Amino acid sequence: MKVETRPLTEADLPAARICNRTAFSTFYGMPDPSAFRRGADVIGPRWRVWPEGAMAVDVDGSLAAVGLMMHWGSVCILGPLTVLPKYWNTGLARRIMTALVEVIEHEDFAFTGLFTHPQSPTHIRLYEDYGFVMQRIIAVMAKPPMAEKAPVGLALFSEAADPEGELDSMQALTHGIEPGLDLRREVRSIAAGGLGETLILRDDRGLAGFAVCHHGPDSEASEGQMLVKFAGAASGAQAPDRFARLLAAIESHAEQRNLAKVIVGTNVGRSETYRIMQDAGYITEMNGIAMMRPAAEGYNRPEKFAIDDWR
Ligand SMILES: CC(C)(COP(=O)(O)OP(=O)(O)OC[C@H]1O[C@@H](n2cnc3c(N)ncnc32)[C@H](O)[C@@H]1OP(=O)(O)O)[C@@H](O)C(=O)NCCC(=O)NCCS
């Protein structure tokens, strides 16, 4: 068996999608691979945002394993990592991890985070071997959007008169959540690919918050759903109120688009964020565990008002 590790290319995307669906549907015991996050594509959008952060392993010339990462400025998020089930337990995940860690080490990240299954000792052990340390639970939460009125000050990035100015304000806002945290690549990619919308919420002091939302074909959201990849409120005393308004903006946007469900995740270390989401009616559908390399709290702290999807 000839095994080769190499960068993932655009031509690999269809095979990488199959690898991802087959691996996860097998893991979850789903007989139909297309039923796993039906209609969602986490491979294409992620590869387009940061192709250099994606690796593949070929076995005898065909793709057998794939791993991607997200570049959020000073923060890297690793995942998803998948191996075709017929090759499980032959060391392919370790090959991908070795290659991804090499990419990470050439960048200047403050930390890399990942989302994994807290109930799986083998997943945890795999990542621990590469320097990741278990942190707190990430709650993936959901809610059918209620007929909220759009809050005052809501605008859409796709209609912005000064997109570069908006991107600068977003960068300043995320820098207040975590030094160097930068979602501009994600915002640009959604706009370029028509993968959803970035919501902009202003108040009398400027940008109060923004939400990077996937929905529709080719996006990371499942059919009929809206997936919030990242949303954050400007830090400070008014942050809880800004965050609650941002949640209302997210719901009103989903409602307008006739989407049946909003999917959002937060690390429970952001305890105030988690509480506001519970108060707003969000219910946890799945728990993951955050692992960090090096061990760090990052922005998973009570006074940080952010939601993000690390899956
Ligand atoms: C988890 C996964 C990537 C491991 O791939 P792999 O190539 O079999 O892993 P390796 O052979 O390199 O072995 C790495 C470790 O993973 C463990 N592992 C292998 N298959 C596994 C499975 N189905 N579930 C959990 N752990 C598994 C191995 O036991 C090994 O741990 P150990 O050596 O300490 O016992 C693969 O099983 C997979 O694609 N699973 C479904 C998708 C998934 O869960 N991805 C990770 C999301 S965080």
Short mmCIF file of all heavy atoms in Angstrom, two decimals, residues 154-164 166-167 170 186-200 202 210-213 215 253 256-257:
data_model
loop_
_atom_site.label_atom_id
_atom_site.label_comp_id
_atom_site.label_asym_id
_atom_site.label_seq_id
_atom_site.Cartn_x
_atom_site.Cartn_y
_atom_site.Cartn_z
N LEU A 154 -29.70 47.47 12.12
CA LEU A 154 -29.24 46.27 11.41
C LEU A 154 -29.02 46.58 9.92
O LEU A 154 -29.87 47.19 9.27
CB LEU A 154 -30.27 45.14 11.56
CG LEU A 154 -29.98 43.85 10.80
CD1 LEU A 154 -28.68 43.21 11.29
CD2 LEU A 154 -31.12 42.86 10.93
N ALA A 155 -27.86 46.18 9.41
CA ALA A 155 -27.55 46.34 7.98
C ALA A 155 -26.91 45.06 7.47
O ALA A 155 -26.48 44.21 8.26
CB ALA A 155 -26.60 47.52 7.79
N LEU A 156 -26.88 44.93 6.15
CA LEU A 156 -26.31 43.72 5.54
C LEU A 156 -24.97 44.07 4.87
O LEU A 156 -24.88 45.08 4.14
CB LEU A 156 -27.26 43.15 4.48
CG LEU A 156 -28.69 42.85 4.96
CD1 LEU A 156 -29.51 42.26 3.80
CD2 LEU A 156 -28.68 41.89 6.15
N PHE A 157 -23.98 43.23 5.07
CA PHE A 157 -22.68 43.48 4.45
C PHE A 157 -22.81 43.49 2.93
O PHE A 157 -22.13 44.28 2.25
CB PHE A 157 -21.67 42.41 4.90
CG PHE A 157 -20.30 42.62 4.34
CD1 PHE A 157 -19.46 43.61 4.85
CD2 PHE A 157 -19.84 41.85 3.28
CE1 PHE A 157 -18.19 43.81 4.31
CE2 PHE A 157 -18.57 42.05 2.75
CZ PHE A 157 -17.75 43.03 3.26
N SER A 158 -23.69 42.66 2.38
CA SER A 158 -23.83 42.58 0.92
C SER A 158 -24.34 43.90 0.33
O SER A 158 -24.21 44.13 -0.87
CB SER A 158 -24.78 41.45 0.53
OG SER A 158 -26.06 41.69 1.05
N GLU A 159 -24.90 44.76 1.17
CA GLU A 159 -25.43 46.05 0.68
C GLU A 159 -24.57 47.22 1.17
O GLU A 159 -24.97 48.38 1.02
CB GLU A 159 -26.87 46.24 1.16
CG GLU A 159 -27.82 45.20 0.58
CD GLU A 159 -29.21 45.24 1.20
OE1 GLU A 159 -29.43 46.04 2.13
OE2 GLU A 159 -30.07 44.46 0.75
N ALA A 160 -23.43 46.93 1.78
CA ALA A 160 -22.62 48.00 2.40
C ALA A 160 -22.06 48.95 1.34
O ALA A 160 -21.56 48.50 0.30
CB ALA A 160 -21.49 47.40 3.21
N ALA A 161 -22.13 50.25 1.62
CA ALA A 161 -21.57 51.25 0.71
C ALA A 161 -20.05 51.25 0.78
O ALA A 161 -19.36 51.55 -0.20
CB ALA A 161 -22.13 52.63 1.08
N ASP A 162 -19.52 50.91 1.95
CA ASP A 162 -18.07 50.94 2.14
C ASP A 162 -17.62 49.61 2.77
O ASP A 162 -17.32 49.53 3.97
CB ASP A 162 -17.72 52.12 3.08
CG ASP A 162 -16.25 52.15 3.43
OD1 ASP A 162 -15.44 51.50 2.72
OD2 ASP A 162 -15.90 52.81 4.43
N PRO A 163 -17.56 48.53 1.94
CA PRO A 163 -17.23 47.22 2.51
C PRO A 163 -15.89 47.20 3.25
O PRO A 163 -15.77 46.59 4.31
CB PRO A 163 -17.19 46.30 1.29
CG PRO A 163 -17.78 47.05 0.15
CD PRO A 163 -17.82 48.50 0.49
N GLU A 164 -14.89 47.89 2.70
CA GLU A 164 -13.57 47.85 3.37
C GLU A 164 -13.63 48.50 4.74
O GLU A 164 -13.01 48.03 5.70
CB GLU A 164 -12.49 48.52 2.49
CG GLU A 164 -12.10 47.68 1.28
CD GLU A 164 -11.66 46.25 1.62
OE1 GLU A 164 -10.84 46.08 2.54
OE2 GLU A 164 -12.16 45.31 0.97
N GLU A 166 -16.28 48.62 6.64
CA GLU A 166 -16.99 47.68 7.52
C GLU A 166 -16.04 46.58 8.00
O GLU A 166 -16.06 46.20 9.17
CB GLU A 166 -18.17 47.02 6.78
CG GLU A 166 -19.22 47.97 6.22
CD GLU A 166 -20.05 48.65 7.31
OE1 GLU A 166 -19.86 48.35 8.51
OE2 GLU A 166 -20.89 49.50 6.95
N LEU A 167 -15.21 46.09 7.08
CA LEU A 167 -14.27 45.03 7.45
C LEU A 167 -13.28 45.52 8.51
O LEU A 167 -12.95 44.80 9.45
CB LEU A 167 -13.53 44.52 6.20
CG LEU A 167 -14.38 43.66 5.26
CD1 LEU A 167 -13.74 43.57 3.87
CD2 LEU A 167 -14.57 42.26 5.83
N MET A 170 -14.99 45.52 11.80
CA MET A 170 -15.14 44.14 12.31
C MET A 170 -13.82 43.66 12.92
O MET A 170 -13.80 43.01 13.96
CB MET A 170 -15.53 43.19 11.18
CG MET A 170 -16.94 43.38 10.68
SD MET A 170 -17.25 42.26 9.30
CE MET A 170 -18.60 43.11 8.52
N GLU A 186 -13.42 35.13 6.37
CA GLU A 186 -14.72 34.43 6.33
C GLU A 186 -15.79 35.35 5.73
O GLU A 186 -16.63 34.91 4.94
CB GLU A 186 -15.14 33.99 7.73
CG GLU A 186 -14.19 33.03 8.42
CD GLU A 186 -14.29 31.59 7.92
OE1 GLU A 186 -15.16 31.29 7.09
OE2 GLU A 186 -13.46 30.77 8.36
N VAL A 187 -15.76 36.61 6.13
CA VAL A 187 -16.78 37.56 5.64
C VAL A 187 -16.64 37.74 4.13
O VAL A 187 -17.62 37.68 3.38
CB VAL A 187 -16.62 38.93 6.36
CG1 VAL A 187 -17.60 39.95 5.79
CG2 VAL A 187 -16.83 38.76 7.87
N ARG A 188 -15.40 37.90 3.69
CA ARG A 188 -15.16 38.07 2.24
C ARG A 188 -15.60 36.83 1.47
O ARG A 188 -16.18 36.93 0.39
CB ARG A 188 -13.66 38.29 1.99
CG ARG A 188 -13.19 39.68 2.33
CD ARG A 188 -11.85 39.96 1.63
NE ARG A 188 -11.45 41.34 1.85
CZ ARG A 188 -10.58 41.73 2.77
NH1 ARG A 188 -9.99 40.84 3.55
NH2 ARG A 188 -10.28 43.02 2.91
N SER A 189 -15.29 35.67 2.03
CA SER A 189 -15.59 34.43 1.33
C SER A 189 -17.10 34.22 1.18
O SER A 189 -17.58 33.78 0.13
CB SER A 189 -14.93 33.29 2.09
OG SER A 189 -15.55 32.10 1.80
N ILE A 190 -17.86 34.54 2.23
CA ILE A 190 -19.33 34.42 2.13
C ILE A 190 -19.85 35.36 1.07
O ILE A 190 -20.71 34.99 0.25
CB ILE A 190 -19.97 34.73 3.50
CG1 ILE A 190 -19.76 33.56 4.44
CG2 ILE A 190 -21.46 35.02 3.34
CD1 ILE A 190 -20.53 33.65 5.72
N ALA A 191 -19.33 36.58 1.04
CA ALA A 191 -19.79 37.57 0.06
C ALA A 191 -19.43 37.12 -1.36
O ALA A 191 -20.26 37.18 -2.27
CB ALA A 191 -19.18 38.93 0.38
N ALA A 192 -18.19 36.64 -1.53
CA ALA A 192 -17.75 36.25 -2.88
C ALA A 192 -18.50 35.03 -3.39
O ALA A 192 -18.81 34.93 -4.58
CB ALA A 192 -16.24 35.98 -2.86
N GLY A 193 -18.80 34.09 -2.49
CA GLY A 193 -19.41 32.84 -2.93
C GLY A 193 -20.93 32.82 -2.81
O GLY A 193 -21.55 31.82 -3.15
N GLY A 194 -21.52 33.90 -2.29
CA GLY A 194 -22.97 33.92 -2.08
C GLY A 194 -23.41 32.81 -1.13
O GLY A 194 -24.42 32.14 -1.33
N LEU A 195 -22.64 32.62 -0.06
CA LEU A 195 -22.88 31.50 0.86
C LEU A 195 -23.75 31.89 2.05
O LEU A 195 -23.87 31.11 2.99
CB LEU A 195 -21.55 30.95 1.38
CG LEU A 195 -20.52 30.54 0.32
CD1 LEU A 195 -19.24 30.04 0.99
CD2 LEU A 195 -21.09 29.46 -0.59
N GLY A 196 -24.29 33.10 2.03
CA GLY A 196 -25.09 33.55 3.16
C GLY A 196 -24.99 35.06 3.27
O GLY A 196 -24.99 35.76 2.25
N GLU A 197 -24.85 35.54 4.49
CA GLU A 197 -24.84 37.00 4.70
C GLU A 197 -24.07 37.32 5.98
O GLU A 197 -24.05 36.51 6.92
CB GLU A 197 -26.30 37.50 4.83
CG GLU A 197 -26.47 38.98 4.96
CD GLU A 197 -25.97 39.77 3.75
OE1 GLU A 197 -26.73 39.91 2.77
OE2 GLU A 197 -24.81 40.25 3.80
N THR A 198 -23.44 38.46 6.01
CA THR A 198 -22.87 38.96 7.27
C THR A 198 -23.75 40.11 7.74
O THR A 198 -23.96 41.09 7.01
CB THR A 198 -21.41 39.40 7.08
OG1 THR A 198 -20.65 38.25 6.69
CG2 THR A 198 -20.84 39.97 8.37
N LEU A 199 -24.28 39.96 8.96
CA LEU A 199 -25.16 40.98 9.53
C LEU A 199 -24.32 41.99 10.30
O LEU A 199 -23.42 41.60 11.05
CB LEU A 199 -26.17 40.33 10.49
CG LEU A 199 -26.93 39.11 9.95
CD1 LEU A 199 -27.89 38.57 11.01
CD2 LEU A 199 -27.68 39.45 8.67
N ILE A 200 -24.65 43.24 10.11
CA ILE A 200 -23.93 44.33 10.77
C ILE A 200 -24.92 45.05 11.67
O ILE A 200 -25.98 45.47 11.21
CB ILE A 200 -23.39 45.32 9.71
CG1 ILE A 200 -22.38 44.62 8.79
CG2 ILE A 200 -22.78 46.55 10.35
CD1 ILE A 200 -22.00 45.44 7.58
N ARG A 202 -25.36 48.21 14.25
CA ARG A 202 -24.72 49.45 14.72
C ARG A 202 -25.51 50.04 15.89
O ARG A 202 -26.72 49.83 16.01
CB ARG A 202 -24.69 50.49 13.61
CG ARG A 202 -23.80 50.10 12.46
CD ARG A 202 -23.45 51.31 11.60
NE ARG A 202 -22.79 50.86 10.39
CZ ARG A 202 -23.41 50.48 9.28
NH1 ARG A 202 -24.72 50.52 9.21
NH2 ARG A 202 -22.74 50.06 8.23
N PHE A 210 -21.44 41.91 14.88
CA PHE A 210 -21.67 41.39 13.54
C PHE A 210 -21.79 39.87 13.61
O PHE A 210 -21.32 39.25 14.57
CB PHE A 210 -20.58 41.83 12.54
CG PHE A 210 -19.24 41.18 12.74
CD1 PHE A 210 -18.87 40.06 12.01
CD2 PHE A 210 -18.32 41.70 13.64
CE1 PHE A 210 -17.62 39.46 12.16
CE2 PHE A 210 -17.08 41.11 13.82
CZ PHE A 210 -16.72 39.99 13.09
N ALA A 211 -22.46 39.32 12.62
CA ALA A 211 -22.71 37.87 12.60
C ALA A 211 -22.45 37.32 11.21
O ALA A 211 -23.03 37.81 10.23
CB ALA A 211 -24.15 37.58 13.03
N VAL A 212 -21.58 36.34 11.14
CA VAL A 212 -21.21 35.71 9.87
C VAL A 212 -22.09 34.47 9.71
O VAL A 212 -21.90 33.48 10.41
CB VAL A 212 -19.71 35.32 9.90
CG1 VAL A 212 -19.27 34.73 8.57
CG2 VAL A 212 -18.84 36.51 10.29
N CYS A 213 -23.07 34.56 8.81
CA CYS A 213 -24.12 33.54 8.74
C CYS A 213 -24.07 32.77 7.42
O CYS A 213 -24.11 33.38 6.35
CB CYS A 213 -25.50 34.19 8.85
SG CYS A 213 -25.68 35.20 10.32
N HIS A 215 -26.01 30.24 4.90
CA HIS A 215 -27.26 29.60 4.53
C HIS A 215 -27.30 29.45 3.02
O HIS A 215 -26.61 30.16 2.30
CB HIS A 215 -28.50 30.36 5.06
CG HIS A 215 -28.54 31.83 4.74
ND1 HIS A 215 -28.89 32.30 3.50
CD2 HIS A 215 -28.30 32.92 5.51
CE1 HIS A 215 -28.86 33.63 3.52
NE2 HIS A 215 -28.49 34.04 4.73
N HIS A 253 -33.19 37.66 10.60
CA HIS A 253 -32.66 37.36 9.26
C HIS A 253 -33.08 35.95 8.83
O HIS A 253 -33.51 35.73 7.69
CB HIS A 253 -31.13 37.50 9.27
CG HIS A 253 -30.52 37.30 7.92
ND1 HIS A 253 -30.63 38.22 6.89
CD2 HIS A 253 -29.80 36.26 7.41
CE1 HIS A 253 -30.00 37.75 5.83
NE2 HIS A 253 -29.49 36.58 6.11
N GLN A 256 -36.72 35.97 7.90
CA GLN A 256 -36.96 36.57 6.58
C GLN A 256 -36.59 35.63 5.45
O GLN A 256 -37.16 35.68 4.37
CB GLN A 256 -36.12 37.84 6.44
CG GLN A 256 -36.79 39.04 7.05
CD GLN A 256 -35.84 40.24 7.02
OE1 GLN A 256 -34.85 40.24 6.31
NE2 GLN A 256 -36.16 41.24 7.82
N ARG A 257 -35.57 34.80 5.68
CA ARG A 257 -35.13 33.87 4.64
C ARG A 257 -35.92 32.55 4.68
O ARG A 257 -35.55 31.59 4.01
CB ARG A 257 -33.63 33.55 4.81
CG ARG A 257 -32.70 34.72 4.57
CD ARG A 257 -32.62 35.02 3.08
NE ARG A 257 -31.53 35.91 2.75
CZ ARG A 257 -31.55 37.23 2.82
NH1 ARG A 257 -32.63 37.84 3.25
NH2 ARG A 257 -30.52 37.97 2.48
#
